[in-house]
Amino acid sequence: MLPDQVPPAIIETFQRQGALVDSAELTPSTPAADLPFGLSAPYWLELRDYDPVAIAAGLGKPMFILQGGRDYQVTVADDLVRRRTGLAGHPEADIRVYEADNHLFFLGAGPSTPAEYGTPQYVDPAVIADIAHWLSHGQG
């Protein structure tokens, strides 16, 4: 189903559930049925405090962070900016963007869509080569 084919009632349900997750009204006893994907309130409450960039910055380990330039789930404009900022002082953070890749590192052109995930494809050979090179040079 394409985004423009999603029934308005489903969109409204997710918007309502998402607003509840973001609100001060969310408590550990909020019913999972009122929340996105039926996941429990404690899950959503814990996720609020989860900061993967801060955790990564504190590891003191080499990191190889890859980003698809066409990824609409984890975006260059929002998510990658936070990673670059949070890891700016981390000397062993190697961050690379693969402009033509989507979230799964499948090559494509134009904006990525959910339909791309339904078509069998291969991971971008450049991504595979870069991972292999990074690992083989003692970074893993």
Side-chain angles (χ1 to χ4, degrees), residues 75-83:
T75 67
V76 169
D78 297 320
D79 303 291
L80 187 61
V81 168
R82 283 194 293 271
R83 286 181 179 87

Side-chain angles (χ1 to χ4, degrees), residues 48-101:
R48 282 182 178 176
D49 296 327
Y50 179 65
D51 185 349
V53 176
I55 291 169
L59 292 177
K61 302 284 184 186
M63 289 177 252
F64 190 43
I65 299 169
L66 293 79
Q67 171 74 50
R70 298 173 47 248
D71 190 342
Y72 64 86
Q73 293 170 275
V74 180
T75 67
V76 169
D78 297 320
D79 303 291
L80 187 61
V81 168
R82 283 194 293 271
R83 286 181 179 87
R84 282 189 168 141
T85 301
L87 296 172
H90 194 295
E92 296 182 289
D94 185 351
I95 301 173
R96 299 187 195 180
V97 177
Y98 298 84
E99 293 297 336
D101 293 354

